[in-house]
Amino acid sequence: MPNMDPKKCPMPAQDPNVRNKNFDEVALGYTAEMAVNEAKRCLQCKKPLCRSGCPVEIDIPGFIAKVAEGDFEAAYQVIARSSALPAVCGRVCPQENQCEGKCVRGIKGEPVGIGRLERFVADWHRENVHTAAVKPASNGHKVAVIGAGPSGLTVAGDLAKMGYQVTVYEALHVAGGVLMYGIPEFRLPKDIVQHEVEGLRELGVDIECNMVIGKVLTIDELMNDYGFEAVYIASGAGLPRFMGIPGESLKGVYSANEYLTRVNLMKAYRPDSRTPIKKSRAVAVVGGGNVAMDAARCAKRLGAEQVYIVYRRGMAELPARREEVEHAEEEGIIFRTLTNPVEVLGDENGCVRGMTCVEMELGEPDESGRRRPIVKQGSEFELDVDTMIMALGTSPNPLIRSTTPGLDTDRHGCIITNGPDGLTSRPFVYAGGDAVTGAATVILAMGAGKEAARAIDEAIRAKNA
């Protein structure tokens, strides 16, 4: 019997005034009963629009039908045919703009909780099924992947399933990329990421950490000396952007990249951590995306009394996921929208003591389609903070492009590709994810990895035909 409740089954979560003092996961996950009940809200449309909204092409009605039957392992196997990281996607994908955004149940109510069901299925499998994945037979061909983030892990998993010998070279000491250093533990527990990584190792993927390609080895050396027939560049976008305003070099000014890496990867929030991080009284996070929300919520958990999101447009224009904004508000984050910093103020010791801001108003739309923020004359004021975190986006590190002759990039340093297949200006060199698009979402990076895996397989087959 279909469940015609117009609302999703609510997601159990920690109380806001408890969770803003710890790094445990905020959302607690569905029970089996909740999952089955939510799955029965799916109408099993003959032409499922939800599937067309998924960058990795999961058979969404197929896995939900299995959940509704209570066959959770069969549901997992449906998802696993398309996604190498289901427990990750179920937690951090912007489903509201993708699969759930196309769900017909959303026309007269709330869409089916597709992301919540994907998370449930992946968690159920991890907790209840302990048999190792079967390593496919080798096809005799080798592919190198640069970067063990979501795009690199996806292309590696898909190629491994086709029988390729895949080696992933990761610059950091642990695989996972932005999933490890960028997204806080309270949104994405790191043991879950590593469980997904171990699943790829079981498929035969070799992951070599502490390998900075462009420094230790070049792409030409990988192809000419190590016998790799193709290379996929998934090195991400880890170079932070700043505003270029006075005072940005003061002590207490962080990029969100540095701040989140210290917290997430190096566990600076633990009493025994050897990685220092400032114990702040009042923090301003400049930006309005998911990274800004993550930095602000981390600062609150680290003990700051006031944490501000400073954003030059209004609440309606915030690019962060609605759920992340709501969680931040519940946890006591203060939103100073229509506000822009113009100077960071320092004390006699070279430390941040505040920042000068101006009020903004929205004018006509700019080239992005959003209304352009305009400074209100005479609106300057000082915001009392001792820490400033810049969450203004990132661009790719120049190391790969500077050590790979003939690799075309754009003015932002992003690698130029042929189209969705990811082929670059170099034969048999492919790229995808943030290295191509600049900072974007996990699921779009994964989608690029899937497209590239197909293209690499076709190119190698054609070469050897």
Side-chain angles (χ1 to χ4, degrees):
M1 190 72 159
N3 173 6
M4 298 310 294
D5 191 326
K7 291 187 175 294
K8 294 177 187 177
C9 176
M11 172 63 88
Q14 286 194 71
D15 180 88
N17 290 319
V18 174
R19 71 185 192 231
N20 67 4
K21 299 175 185 65
N22 68 57
F23 278 81
D24 298 335
E25 192 168 14
V26 168
L28 302 177
Y30 279 171
T31 63
E33 182 181 8
M34 289 173 176
V36 170
N37 196 39
E38 182 62 25
K40 288 180 178 178
R41 293 185 65 235
C42 177
L43 300 178
Q44 293 293 319
C45 305
K46 290 183 179 178
K47 294 183 178 179
L49 298 178
C50 57
R51 188 171 182 176
S52 68
C54 177
V56 295
E57 304 164 4
I58 291 172
D59 178 5
I60 293 169
F63 99 77
I64 291 179
K66 294 299 181 184
V67 176
E69 294 168 8
D71 192 344
F72 305 139
E73 178 57 15
Y76 177 83
Q77 294 304 326
V78 172
I79 297 170
R81 289 200 296 264
S82 301
S83 175
L85 307 169
V88 171
C89 292
R91 286 168 165 82
V92 303
C93 267
Q95 291 99 359
E96 64 275 13
N97 298 325
Q98 294 172 162
C99 53
E100 293 183 18
K102 293 181 178 290
C103 176
V104 296
R105 288 300 308 265
I107 297 172
K108 293 185 178 179
E110 293 182 352
V112 174
I114 298 168
R116 296 174 181 182
L117 291 174
E118 182 180 17
R119 169 191 163 141
F120 168 80
V121 168
D123 288 355
W124 187 93
H125 174 84
R126 185 179 68 256
E127 292 161 7
N128 293 278
V129 178
H130 305 294
T131 53
V134 178
K135 182 180 176 180
S138 172
N139 65 12
H141 299 289
K142 293 173 63 178
V143 176
V145 177
I146 301 171
S151 196
L153 295 176
T154 297
V155 77
D158 281 15
L159 288 171
K161 289 174 185 176
M162 298 177 198
Y164 286 88
Q165 182 183 335
V166 183
T167 301
V168 181
Y169 295 100
E170 168 56 45
L172 294 175
H173 63 282
V174 64
V178 72
L179 306 176
M180 292 298 292
Y181 73 77
I183 303 176
E185 186 84 14
F186 55 79
R187 277 217 294 141
L188 180 61
K190 303 311 163 207
D191 61 344
I192 287 174
V193 178
Q194 291 309 305
H195 184 273
E196 306 277 48
V197 169
E198 285 306 310
L200 294 176
R201 286 195 171 102
E202 289 171 2
L203 289 173
V205 176
D206 177 28
I207 301 175
E208 296 193 20
C209 295
N210 299 308
M211 288 291 288
V212 183
I213 300 303
K215 189 83 170 173
V216 180
L217 294 169
T218 66
I219 286 176
D220 286 327
E221 287 173 328
L222 290 174
M223 301 184 82
N224 298 333
D225 301 341
Y226 286 73
F228 291 105
E229 296 172 68
V231 173
Y232 181 69
I233 304 169
S235 48
L239 194 64
R241 294 178 188 160
F242 287 85
M243 296 183 71
I245 60 176
E248 281 185 329
S249 61
L250 289 166
K251 289 179 281 188
V253 177
Y254 292 87
S255 70
N257 230 34
E258 178 191 355
Y259 193 82
L260 290 172
T261 298
R262 286 175 180 268
V263 173
N264 301 328
L265 190 63
M266 310 311 294
K267 311 297 183 189
Y269 59 89
R270 292 181 178 169
D272 61 347
S273 175
R274 296 175 65 184
T275 298
I277 198 163
K278 183 177 173 67
K279 302 302 180 186
S280 307
R281 174 183 53 80
V283 179
V285 180
V286 184
N290 290 330
V291 172
M293 302 305 140
D294 287 344
R297 296 171 70 194
C298 283
K300 188 72 175 177
R301 285 162 170 76
L302 287 167
E305 296 169 19
Q306 284 90 33
V307 180
Y308 303 98
I309 291 284
V310 178
Y311 182 60
R312 62 182 187 156
R313 289 184 167 94
M315 290 295 288
E317 288 77 31
L318 282 167
R321 291 184 68 190
R322 189 68 239 162
E323 180 180 272
E324 302 308 321
V325 174
E326 289 170 357
H327 281 170
E329 288 180 311
E330 290 170 357
E331 291 169 11
I333 306 302
I334 303 162
F335 284 76
R336 297 296 299 260
T337 55
L338 293 171
T339 300
N340 205 39
V342 292
E343 183 179 2
V344 191
L345 305 172
D347 63 17
E348 63 278 6
N349 298 314
C351 299
V352 175
R353 67 163 182 82
M355 59 188 209
T356 302
C357 300
V358 290
E359 294 178 9
M360 312 293 284
E361 56 189 359
L362 297 181
E364 295 300 313
D366 60 16
E367 62 276 2
S368 72
R370 295 181 299 171
R371 293 174 66 192
R372 185 188 302 276
I374 300 167
V375 176
K376 280 187 185 178
Q377 294 303 313
S379 63
E380 281 193 4
F381 69 95
E382 188 175 316
L383 192 62
D384 177 21
V385 295
D386 61 4
T387 305
M388 187 177 185
I389 302 171
M390 298 291 195
L392 303 169
T394 53
S395 56
N397 188 297
L399 187 59
I400 295 285
R401 69 176 184 265
S402 65
T403 57
T404 311
L407 185 68
D408 291 345
T409 57
D410 65 17
R411 63 189 180 90
H412 300 294
C414 297
I415 298 169
I416 297 171
T417 61
N418 201 22
D421 66 0
L423 181 63
T424 71
S425 54
R426 288 281 304 267
F428 291 95
V429 176
Y430 295 77
D434 291 3
V436 171
T437 61
T441 63
V442 167
I443 192 65
L444 288 177
M446 292 176 63
K450 289 195 76 66
E451 293 274 7
R454 282 193 286 260
I456 291 168
D457 178 53
E458 289 171 8
I460 291 177
R461 284 176 182 274
K463 184 185 75 171
N464 292 282

